[in-house]
Amino acid sequence: MDFAYTEREEGFRRELREWLAVNFGEHRKRFPPSDDELTLHPDKAFDSSLAWHKRMHAGGWVGIHWPKEYGGRGASLIEQMIFTEELIAAGAPPGVNTIGLAMVGPAVIHHGSEEQRRRWLPPILSADEIWCQGFSEPGAGSDLANLSTRATLENGVFVVSGQKVWTSNAHRSHSCILLVRTDPQAPRHKGISCLLVDMRSPGITIRPLVQMTGDAEFNEVFFDQVRVPKANLLGLKNGGWDVAITILMYERMAIGSTVILYHYIERLLNLARRTSRDGGVAAKDPLLRQELAQIYLEGRALRLTGLRYITRQLRGEAPGPEGSVLKLTLTETYKKMAE
């Protein structure tokens, strides 16, 4: 594994830093850090993130990993990692269309027709259309192929009925990439299709799942005879499992590229060094120091695992188990850090 950056990659970092130095300062004049995510003001956090997304889009910094012909920069995996690290280091707010950019867009590029690409890709980049992901159901979580939301084709229109759960930001989304069962008689993985659904369609009901913080990022979504044009079928009818695998692969790539947990851990360490506790600073507490050391070690191991994951892809190899390992261990370490 080569830890050195090429001149092109260093040039990419310099260009991004110069752009951030001007534009992030302008953003902060309107939206202070208290307006960002993880505050008690989810509406203001959304406004801040949306405004930042629009500014990045105007500067050509949205969807940088997409091919140039579809509005991206054709950035490499290393440049994507640099991009994420620099935004985290700057303290920039998160984007508002992560599912659209990281999963839906690549799936449309890979499986969609040229007409679908022209229709769906530009508003994903601009965040004029925000996306959610209709995969999980009460009886189909880890076993996604057990989904039961039904779609029947009637006179060129899919009629959808069923329920999805844990749908992030459904209440803010304009569209949903939805897995449905279109052939209940086929083997479980063979009778699934993927639809691009307008969330403003009649028959859709969204119910928030309120968390202990009062926020409601997750939702239940109910579909009652929702009509979806056949033109909104992504990929082949009954071939939706292939689309789902593509989406999940890109999801793992998005998670796997988050080798930036150590930035958060450094902030935690700095917080411990300046927070008063028992007549001294928290960082001097021997028990807390042990916990901080464990989190630090896990953060470094996660970063190296993430780099291994990226290296495998740079070599042209198939994604390995690192993506799944990262998804699990990143969650566990992040939880320890929060506690």
Side-chain angles (χ1 to χ4, degrees):
M1 186 182 297
D2 185 358
F3 289 93
Y5 293 104
T6 66
E7 179 53 37
R8 170 183 165 172
E9 290 159 356
E10 291 292 3
F12 177 87
R13 188 190 299 275
R14 288 193 298 270
E15 180 186 358
L16 177 58
R17 284 182 175 177
E18 290 170 1
W19 186 87
L20 284 170
V22 175
N23 286 273
F24 189 52
E26 290 297 318
H27 175 79
R28 278 290 179 243
K29 291 178 181 178
R30 181 181 175 192
F31 296 99
S34 58
D35 287 349
D36 286 351
E37 191 184 39
L38 307 180
T39 70
L40 297 179
H41 308 286
D43 290 334
K44 294 201 73 175
F46 180 80
D47 292 342
S48 173
S49 293
L50 180 60
W52 178 239
H53 184 112
K54 295 288 188 181
R55 184 180 288 270
M56 286 199 301
H57 179 252
W61 293 103
V62 174
I64 63 168
H65 61 293
W66 288 20
K68 293 180 179 180
E69 59 264 36
Y70 298 118
R73 296 173 63 113
S76 69
L77 285 169
I78 297 296
E79 288 169 336
Q80 291 177 55
M81 185 186 73
I82 291 171
F83 178 79
T84 304
E85 287 184 337
E86 291 297 325
L87 260 64
I88 292 294
V96 293
N97 210 9
T98 301
I99 290 174
L101 289 168
M103 290 175 269
V104 179
V108 171
I109 291 170
H110 189 78
H111 292 281
S113 65
E114 194 58 38
E115 182 178 357
Q116 287 176 324
R117 292 168 186 155
R118 290 196 303 268
R119 161 63 184 89
W120 299 106
L121 296 179
I124 290 176
L125 288 173
S126 65
D128 289 339
E129 293 181 358
I130 295 172
W131 284 76
C132 61
Q133 181 183 11
F135 278 28
S136 297
E137 298 182 5
S142 299
D143 184 11
L144 182 58
N146 196 42
L147 65 89
S148 59
T149 296
R150 185 75 60 86
T152 57
L153 187 59
E154 301 176 2
N155 299 319
V157 175
F158 286 100
V159 181
V160 180
S161 292
Q163 178 190 357
K164 299 292 178 177
V165 72
W166 308 120
T167 310
S168 300
N169 291 317
H171 60 303
R172 299 191 189 280
S173 296
H174 303 91
S175 302
C176 177
I177 189 159
L178 184 70
L179 289 184
V180 294
R181 188 161 300 285
T182 45
D183 185 353
Q185 306 304 319
R188 294 194 312 160
H189 296 80
K190 301 296 184 182
I192 294 172
S193 298
C194 183
L195 302 177
L196 307 175
V197 180
D198 187 339
M199 289 294 285
R200 295 154 292 192
S201 302
I204 295 179
T205 301
I206 300 171
R207 296 180 184 172
L209 297 170
V210 181
Q211 302 169 62
M212 64 185 298
T213 61
D215 196 5
E217 176 189 0
F218 301 117
N219 300 269
E220 295 178 292
V221 183
F222 299 87
F223 300 85
D224 183 10
Q225 299 289 298
V226 176
R227 299 177 68 82
V228 181
K230 185 180 179 181
N232 288 23
L233 172 68
L234 183 62
L236 299 175
K237 184 184 178 185
N238 299 322
W241 190 252
D242 291 337
V243 182
I245 293 300
T246 299
I247 293 169
L248 293 173
M249 180 187 71
Y250 278 104
E251 180 183 22
R252 293 296 184 270
M253 287 175 63
I255 293 169
S257 67
T258 55
V259 288
I260 40 72
L261 184 66
Y262 69 97
H263 281 295
Y264 292 130
I265 293 174
E266 286 295 334
R267 293 181 186 182
L268 174 63
L269 296 177
N270 289 331
L271 179 66
R273 293 178 185 122
R274 67 174 187 267
T275 300
S276 299
R277 181 169 178 172
D278 297 332
V281 294
K284 296 293 185 180
D285 182 286
L287 294 179
L288 181 60
R289 285 174 65 86
Q290 291 181 35
E291 295 178 358
L292 291 172
Q294 181 63 35
I295 291 171
Y296 177 83
L297 291 172
E298 291 180 15
R300 300 304 294 183
L302 276 164
R303 174 170 173 76
L304 292 173
T305 304
L307 291 173
R308 183 181 298 117
Y309 184 73
I310 290 175
T311 299
R312 180 191 290 270
Q313 295 174 69
L314 291 173
R315 291 173 178 162
E317 300 173 6
E322 295 90 352
S324 296
V325 170
L326 283 167
K327 181 175 176 65
L328 174 62
T329 53
L330 179 68
T331 301
E332 291 179 339
T333 302
Y334 193 92
K335 181 174 182 289
K336 290 178 186 177
M337 187 188 71
E339 290 172 343

